[in-house]
Amino acid sequence: MKLEVKIGEPIAASLAAAAHTMQVIQAGRAVKPYFGIGFRTMAQFGEVFTPKRWELVEALKAAGPLSIYALAKRLGRHYRNVHKDVSAMIEWTVIEKNAAGLVFVPWDEIGVRWPLLKQAA
């Protein structure tokens, strides 16, 4: 599964894509599952996806489901900071928690798309 992260996509484009998907569903055709999140600006994206959080996501994906304590130990970081980062990544659907309370990354890939807009001369 892939998580799509889009930066700077106009809301109108997102709404148009959702409307198209609804039309396909209403026509009785199959729809490929889509999982995505969006940010207005690269600055907003950078506030959520800090270098430490990217490191955390990569380590967790490599290790498989772990407790937050075990993840903090693996990363050599303070539990409180790892807990805060895991909570943020759960909020943005990058990390999930299973019934046993272990956290994991459900994605095989995270694609980040940032189209650069042309400025008027």
Side-chain angles (χ1 to χ4, degrees), residues 3-4 14-15 17 25 28 41 51-52 96 111:
L3 175 64
E4 295 283 348
S14 296
L15 292 174
I25 291 170
T41 64
K52 287 289 189 188
E96 293 182 7

Side-chain angles (χ1 to χ4, degrees), residues 9-66:
E9 181 174 77
I11 292 174
S14 296
L15 292 174
H20 173 73
T21 300
M22 292 304 295
Q23 290 172 347
V24 170
I25 291 170
Q26 288 174 345
R29 297 193 316 257
V31 176
K32 182 180 175 186
Y34 172 81
F35 305 96
I37 56 176
F39 297 91
R40 283 186 305 254
T41 64
M42 180 51 87
Q44 183 189 34
F45 170 81
E47 288 173 10
V48 173
F49 285 92
T50 64
K52 287 289 189 188
R53 289 179 181 166
W54 277 120
E55 178 185 34
L56 181 150
V57 168
E58 289 176 335
L60 187 56
K61 183 63 179 182
L66 293 172

